[in-house]
mmCIF file of all heavy atoms in Angstrom:
data_model
loop_
_atom_site.group_PDB
_atom_site.id
_atom_site.type_symbol
_atom_site.label_atom_id
_atom_site.label_comp_id
_atom_site.label_asym_id
_atom_site.label_seq_id
_atom_site.Cartn_x
_atom_site.Cartn_y
_atom_site.Cartn_z
ATOM 1 N N VAL C 258 -10.593 6.268 -10.681
ATOM 2 C CA VAL C 258 -11.944 6.820 -10.510
ATOM 3 C C VAL C 258 -11.831 8.225 -9.943
ATOM 4 O O VAL C 258 -11.022 8.480 -9.036
ATOM 5 C CB VAL C 258 -12.780 5.930 -9.573
ATOM 6 C CG1 VAL C 258 -14.132 6.573 -9.275
ATOM 7 C CG2 VAL C 258 -12.978 4.552 -10.196
ATOM 8 N N GLY C 259 -12.630 9.144 -10.492
ATOM 9 C CA GLY C 259 -12.594 10.518 -10.007
ATOM 10 C C GLY C 259 -13.864 11.264 -10.351
ATOM 11 O O GLY C 259 -14.785 10.710 -10.973
ATOM 12 N N PRO C 260 -13.959 12.528 -9.961
ATOM 13 C CA PRO C 260 -15.163 13.334 -10.229
ATOM 14 C C PRO C 260 -15.451 13.446 -11.723
ATOM 15 O O PRO C 260 -14.531 13.546 -12.545
ATOM 16 C CB PRO C 260 -14.810 14.705 -9.629
ATOM 17 C CG PRO C 260 -13.733 14.419 -8.637
ATOM 18 C CD PRO C 260 -12.957 13.278 -9.192
ATOM 19 N N ARG C 261 -16.712 13.461 -12.070
ATOM 20 C CA ARG C 261 -17.114 13.547 -13.476
ATOM 21 C C ARG C 261 -16.652 14.849 -14.125
ATOM 22 O O ARG C 261 -16.355 14.887 -15.321
ATOM 23 C CB ARG C 261 -18.637 13.419 -13.600
ATOM 24 C CG ARG C 261 -19.155 12.008 -13.335
ATOM 25 C CD ARG C 261 -20.645 11.913 -13.548
ATOM 26 N NE ARG C 261 -21.107 10.530 -13.437
ATOM 27 C CZ ARG C 261 -21.106 9.661 -14.438
ATOM 28 N NH1 ARG C 261 -20.681 10.023 -15.637
ATOM 29 N NH2 ARG C 261 -21.544 8.435 -14.244
ATOM 30 N N ASP C 262 -16.590 15.934 -13.352
ATOM 31 C CA ASP C 262 -16.226 17.223 -13.931
ATOM 32 C C ASP C 262 -14.715 17.442 -13.991
ATOM 33 O O ASP C 262 -14.252 18.524 -14.366
ATOM 34 C CB ASP C 262 -16.884 18.368 -13.149
ATOM 35 C CG ASP C 262 -16.514 18.349 -11.670
ATOM 36 O OD1 ASP C 262 -15.778 17.437 -11.253
ATOM 37 O OD2 ASP C 262 -16.983 19.239 -10.927
ATOM 38 N N LEU C 263 -13.937 16.433 -13.613
ATOM 39 C CA LEU C 263 -12.477 16.539 -13.661
ATOM 40 C C LEU C 263 -11.965 15.840 -14.912
ATOM 41 O O LEU C 263 -12.219 14.648 -15.116
ATOM 42 C CB LEU C 263 -11.858 15.915 -12.402
ATOM 43 C CG LEU C 263 -10.329 15.966 -12.300
ATOM 44 C CD1 LEU C 263 -9.847 17.408 -12.205
ATOM 45 C CD2 LEU C 263 -9.859 15.169 -11.084
ATOM 46 N N GLU C 264 -11.238 16.583 -15.767
ATOM 47 C CA GLU C 264 -10.742 16.018 -17.018
ATOM 48 C C GLU C 264 -9.495 15.172 -16.757
ATOM 49 O O GLU C 264 -8.418 15.693 -16.499
ATOM 50 C CB GLU C 264 -10.422 17.144 -18.002
ATOM 51 C CG GLU C 264 -11.636 17.920 -18.488
ATOM 52 C CD GLU C 264 -12.560 17.049 -19.331
ATOM 53 O OE1 GLU C 264 -12.060 16.127 -19.993
ATOM 54 O OE2 GLU C 264 -13.778 17.294 -19.309
ATOM 55 N N ILE C 265 -9.673 13.859 -16.810
ATOM 56 C CA ILE C 265 -8.562 12.915 -16.646
ATOM 57 C C ILE C 265 -8.650 11.913 -17.789
ATOM 58 O O ILE C 265 -9.608 11.140 -17.870
ATOM 59 C CB ILE C 265 -8.628 12.174 -15.300
ATOM 60 C CG1 ILE C 265 -8.533 13.152 -14.129
ATOM 61 C CG2 ILE C 265 -7.523 11.117 -15.221
ATOM 62 C CD1 ILE C 265 -7.186 13.790 -13.947
ATOM 63 N N LEU C 308 -13.146 9.524 -1.393
ATOM 64 C CA LEU C 308 -13.583 10.346 -2.527
ATOM 65 C C LEU C 308 -14.760 11.233 -2.134
ATOM 66 O O LEU C 308 -14.787 12.421 -2.451
ATOM 67 C CB LEU C 308 -13.969 9.447 -3.704
ATOM 68 C CG LEU C 308 -12.827 8.778 -4.476
ATOM 69 C CD1 LEU C 308 -13.373 7.787 -5.486
ATOM 70 C CD2 LEU C 308 -11.968 9.823 -5.180
ATOM 71 N N ASN C 311 -13.696 14.148 -0.047
ATOM 72 C CA ASN C 311 -12.671 14.995 -0.665
ATOM 73 C C ASN C 311 -11.299 14.834 -0.028
ATOM 74 O O ASN C 311 -10.455 15.734 -0.113
ATOM 75 C CB ASN C 311 -13.091 16.471 -0.626
ATOM 76 C CG ASN C 311 -14.303 16.751 -1.481
ATOM 77 O OD1 ASN C 311 -14.442 16.213 -2.581
ATOM 78 N ND2 ASN C 311 -15.210 17.575 -0.977
ATOM 79 N N CYS C 313 -9.329 12.532 -1.062
ATOM 80 C CA CYS C 313 -8.588 12.288 -2.292
ATOM 81 C C CYS C 313 -9.407 12.787 -3.470
ATOM 82 O O CYS C 313 -10.637 12.723 -3.449
ATOM 83 C CB CYS C 313 -8.313 10.800 -2.499
ATOM 84 S SG CYS C 313 -7.446 10.014 -1.138
ATOM 85 N N VAL C 314 -8.723 13.246 -4.481
ATOM 86 C CA VAL C 314 -9.405 13.634 -5.713
ATOM 87 C C VAL C 314 -9.629 12.413 -6.587
ATOM 88 O O VAL C 314 -10.645 12.291 -7.265
ATOM 89 C CB VAL C 314 -8.578 14.692 -6.479
ATOM 90 C CG1 VAL C 314 -9.251 15.061 -7.797
ATOM 91 C CG2 VAL C 314 -8.395 15.931 -5.622
ATOM 92 N N LEU C 315 -8.683 11.462 -6.542
ATOM 93 C CA LEU C 315 -8.753 10.260 -7.363
ATOM 94 C C LEU C 315 -8.501 9.033 -6.497
ATOM 95 O O LEU C 315 -7.857 9.115 -5.453
ATOM 96 C CB LEU C 315 -7.715 10.309 -8.486
ATOM 97 C CG LEU C 315 -7.800 11.482 -9.470
ATOM 98 C CD1 LEU C 315 -6.565 11.524 -10.348
ATOM 99 C CD2 LEU C 315 -9.059 11.377 -10.315
ATOM 100 N N ARG C 335 -21.705 11.306 -9.140
ATOM 101 C CA ARG C 335 -20.594 12.244 -8.891
ATOM 102 C C ARG C 335 -19.276 11.782 -9.499
ATOM 103 O O ARG C 335 -18.448 12.596 -9.893
ATOM 104 C CB ARG C 335 -20.400 12.440 -7.383
ATOM 105 C CG ARG C 335 -21.528 13.152 -6.673
ATOM 106 C CD ARG C 335 -21.180 13.328 -5.210
ATOM 107 N NE ARG C 335 -19.929 14.058 -5.026
ATOM 108 C CZ ARG C 335 -19.196 14.043 -3.922
ATOM 109 N NH1 ARG C 335 -19.587 13.306 -2.884
ATOM 110 N NH2 ARG C 335 -18.078 14.741 -3.830
ATOM 111 N N PHE C 336 -19.085 10.462 -9.542
ATOM 112 C CA PHE C 336 -17.782 9.934 -9.952
ATOM 113 C C PHE C 336 -17.926 8.988 -11.141
ATOM 114 O O PHE C 336 -18.983 8.414 -11.367
ATOM 115 C CB PHE C 336 -17.116 9.209 -8.780
ATOM 116 C CG PHE C 336 -16.940 10.068 -7.559
ATOM 117 C CD1 PHE C 336 -17.836 9.991 -6.504
ATOM 118 C CD2 PHE C 336 -15.889 10.963 -7.465
ATOM 119 C CE1 PHE C 336 -17.691 10.776 -5.381
ATOM 120 C CE2 PHE C 336 -15.733 11.763 -6.349
ATOM 121 C CZ PHE C 336 -16.628 11.668 -5.302
ATOM 122 N N GLU C 337 -16.790 8.798 -11.859
ATOM 123 C CA GLU C 337 -16.787 7.931 -13.018
ATOM 124 C C GLU C 337 -15.424 7.276 -13.201
ATOM 125 O O GLU C 337 -14.426 7.712 -12.616
ATOM 126 C CB GLU C 337 -17.135 8.727 -14.278
ATOM 127 C CG GLU C 337 -16.073 9.759 -14.638
ATOM 128 C CD GLU C 337 -16.404 10.533 -15.902
ATOM 129 O OE1 GLU C 337 -17.437 10.229 -16.523
ATOM 130 O OE2 GLU C 337 -15.616 11.441 -16.264
ATOM 131 N N LYS C 339 -12.152 6.743 -15.122
ATOM 132 C CA LYS C 339 -11.364 7.589 -16.018
ATOM 133 C C LYS C 339 -10.623 6.742 -17.061
ATOM 134 O O LYS C 339 -10.787 6.929 -18.249
ATOM 135 C CB LYS C 339 -10.376 8.437 -15.219
ATOM 136 C CG LYS C 339 -11.043 9.395 -14.219
ATOM 137 C CD LYS C 339 -11.968 10.376 -14.928
ATOM 138 C CE LYS C 339 -12.569 11.367 -13.939
ATOM 139 N NZ LYS C 339 -13.474 12.338 -14.595
#
Side-chain angles (χ1 to χ4, degrees):
V258 174
R261 288 183 174 274
D262 57 358
L263 181 64
E264 293 294 330
I265 299 290
L308 286 173
N311 294 320
C313 304
V314 178
L315 301 169
R335 293 182 57 200
F336 303 99
E337 66 179 357
K339 299 300 183 180

